[in-house]
Amino acid sequence: MKRKWQSKLSLQLLFSIAVSYVITLFFLGILTHTIYRIEKLSPYFRPISAFAFFLGIVFFAVLFYLIVYRKIEYLKYISRKVMEIANKGFGTTIEIRGNDEISELCRNINAMSLELKNKFERERELEKSKNELIIGISHDLRTPLTSAKGYLQLLKDKKYQSDEELETYIQIAYDRMEMLEDLIEDLFEYTRLQGEIRLNKQRLCLNDILLQFVIDYGPLFEKERLALKSTIPQEKYYVEIDPDKFVRIMENLLGNALKYSLRPSSVWVSLSPKDQGVRLTVKNKTQPIDEENLSRLFDRFYRLEKSRSKETGGTGLGLSIAKRLVELHGGKIWADGEEDVIRLHVWLPVA
């Protein structure tokens, strides 16, 4: 079948030659018969016999050209479109006519044009993303750095009135440096996750992992006047995850709840089956959030409360990192809520 497909154009040419040849023979037969009759009448017409052969060749050539004229025009059209693709940019497509090797060539050119267009668009998006990342980094590094530099300048110039004020300036400068450290670590992690990441997956019980997180993080939440609680079913749910990467996901989800929960209140970690998989949810009370902000929650450098970003030390990258890690595990992450309650959901396929 493949050979037959590849020989379609050859068969068409052979058919065109055969048709031209048959018609030419018919034409020459009529012409020769006419000349023979003329020669019988007059010997002066004998040179026409030699000319008839030449005329037959010309007739064959013209007839063959007329038969393949559409193919020739189609090839010229393809040539023009290829030049258009080269000069005006990728994404232009060629009209496909027929069902032979030429049409197959056009399909391949169209696929190449569209693929190259997609690649260039992805490159432009990456370039735009890189520029946005640099702008975001510059902004986020400048704020704590300027603050730390200001307080260190006050210490250098000994512009403090008491030991208590000295301790306050030192603590503020230290806090700002910790913010810088957290930001740099998050930036490094976010950048690394944009490349190829190999997961070391293990089949683990998600129930046990979440219960352990609630136990380990409980005291930290209590210090912030928050109660970390759980709703974990008796039925065991097993998932294939990279333990280290999943720890980072949970740290970012719980860290977000720790930063933005209203005090005092409770933070709930729950687990439930959903769509041939399992859904874990972190729910907490916070300031009312509209749908637009919920949809942007996982955007890079987005903060839930910009006015509190310096206070909480958030980098705006935590949930973006969590989203990337969840997707690497073949899962989904999303947010919903109403009034003063927000829920962050993670869906993973069961193993």
Side-chain angles (χ1 to χ4, degrees):
M1 281 297 289
K2 190 173 181 182
R3 246 183 195 178
K4 190 176 179 183
W5 168 261
Q6 291 177 342
S7 64
K8 278 187 175 180
L9 183 60
S10 302
L11 288 173
Q12 289 176 22
L13 291 174
L14 286 173
F15 178 76
S16 300
I17 292 171
V19 170
S20 301
Y21 181 73
V22 170
I23 295 175
T24 301
L25 285 178
F26 181 73
F27 168 76
L28 284 176
I30 296 173
L31 185 64
T32 304
H33 179 71
T34 303
I35 291 172
Y36 178 73
R37 289 182 63 187
I38 293 173
E39 284 179 340
K40 273 193 170 184
L41 294 174
S42 174
Y44 297 104
F45 288 96
R46 290 178 185 272
I48 297 178
S49 299
F51 179 71
F53 179 74
F54 174 74
L55 191 63
I57 294 175
V58 172
F59 183 82
F60 173 83
V62 172
L63 184 62
F64 179 74
Y65 175 79
L66 291 174
I67 292 174
V68 300
Y69 174 77
R70 291 183 65 186
K71 287 292 180 186
I72 294 171
E73 288 299 309
Y74 188 39
L75 289 172
K76 290 179 180 178
Y77 163 75
I78 292 171
S79 177
R80 291 194 302 270
K81 296 299 284 187
V82 169
M83 289 299 297
E84 186 179 333
I85 290 171
N87 295 327
K88 294 186 178 180
F90 301 113
T92 303
T93 55
I94 300 173
E95 180 188 348
I96 297 173
R97 304 172 189 169
N99 193 24
D100 53 26
E101 289 88 345
I102 296 177
S103 61
E104 184 65 19
L105 173 64
C106 292
R107 289 188 186 92
N108 292 334
I109 292 173
N110 288 345
M112 177 194 69
S113 176
L114 294 172
E115 180 63 24
L116 288 172
K117 179 187 177 184
N118 291 335
K119 285 184 177 179
F120 275 104
E121 286 178 351
R122 284 197 295 269
E123 286 182 6
R124 280 195 289 266
E125 285 297 320
L126 287 173
E127 186 68 22
K128 181 182 177 183
S129 179
K130 183 182 73 174
N131 292 335
E132 290 176 351
L133 181 62
I134 291 171
I135 292 170
I137 291 171
S138 302
H139 178 270
D140 281 60
L141 287 176
R142 187 186 299 117
T143 303
L145 187 61
T146 302
S147 177
K149 183 179 177 182
Y151 282 102
L152 290 173
Q153 186 67 45
L154 291 174
L155 295 173
K156 179 184 175 183
D157 297 338
K158 301 187 184 301
K159 293 184 177 180
Y160 49 87
Q161 305 298 324
S162 62
D163 290 342
E164 289 78 8
E165 196 171 58
L166 171 63
E167 289 294 327
T168 300
Y169 289 173
I170 292 173
Q171 185 62 49
I172 293 174
Y174 180 79
D175 291 342
R176 296 299 181 265
M177 298 311 293
E178 280 194 326
M179 288 173 61
L180 277 174
E181 183 181 26
D182 291 342
L183 175 60
I184 291 169
E185 286 181 359
D186 281 350
L187 285 170
F188 175 76
E189 181 72 8
Y190 180 84
T191 305
R192 189 173 66 86
L193 289 173
Q194 302 314 301
E196 293 292 328
I197 301 295
R198 182 171 296 178
L199 300 179
N200 299 312
K201 290 185 177 181
Q202 300 177 31
R203 188 173 184 270
L204 300 172
C205 179
L206 194 54
N207 307 59
D208 298 339
I209 294 173
L210 294 184
L211 285 172
Q212 191 61 48
F213 266 103
V214 172
I215 294 170
D216 292 344
Y217 277 74
L220 180 61
F221 276 70
E222 286 178 8
K223 288 182 181 178
E224 297 291 332
R225 295 184 297 133
L226 295 169
L228 185 58
K229 301 179 180 180
S230 64
T231 305
I232 310 295
Q234 294 294 322
E235 182 182 355
K236 299 293 185 181
Y237 294 101
Y238 289 86
V239 291
E240 285 193 355
I241 55 175
D242 183 319
D244 294 334
K245 301 295 188 295
F246 188 77
V247 166
R248 187 63 193 269
I249 293 171
M250 289 303 301
E251 285 178 347
N252 289 348
L253 294 179
L254 293 174
N256 186 79
L258 186 64
K259 289 172 187 174
Y260 299 115
S261 289
L262 297 176
R263 272 77 164 167
S265 65
S266 297
V267 176
W268 288 89
V269 177
S270 61
L271 192 64
S272 60
K274 180 179 174 62
D275 300 334
Q276 298 181 339
V278 61
R279 174 182 60 187
L280 72 89
T281 302
V282 176
K283 182 178 74 172
N284 63 289
K285 295 187 71 174
T286 184
Q287 297 292 340
I289 307 170
D290 57 33
E291 289 186 8
E292 181 183 352
N293 284 321
L294 274 176
S295 64
R296 296 185 56 204
L297 206 56
F298 301 97
D299 290 353
R300 186 181 56 209
F301 293 115
Y302 178 76
R303 293 188 179 89
L304 201 59
E305 295 180 49
K306 294 177 175 59
S307 62
R308 293 178 57 195
S309 61
K310 294 179 184 179
E311 214 175 283
T312 60
T315 63
L317 286 171
L319 292 182
S320 296
I321 292 171
K323 179 182 179 182
R324 174 62 175 157
L325 290 172
V326 169
E327 290 172 348
L328 286 172
H329 282 84
K332 296 180 289 186
I333 187 169
W334 71 98
D336 62 31
E338 65 278 335
E339 296 181 356
D340 61 347
V341 173
I342 183 173
R343 290 180 293 267
L344 301 180
H345 305 281
V346 173
W347 178 90
L348 293 171
V350 292

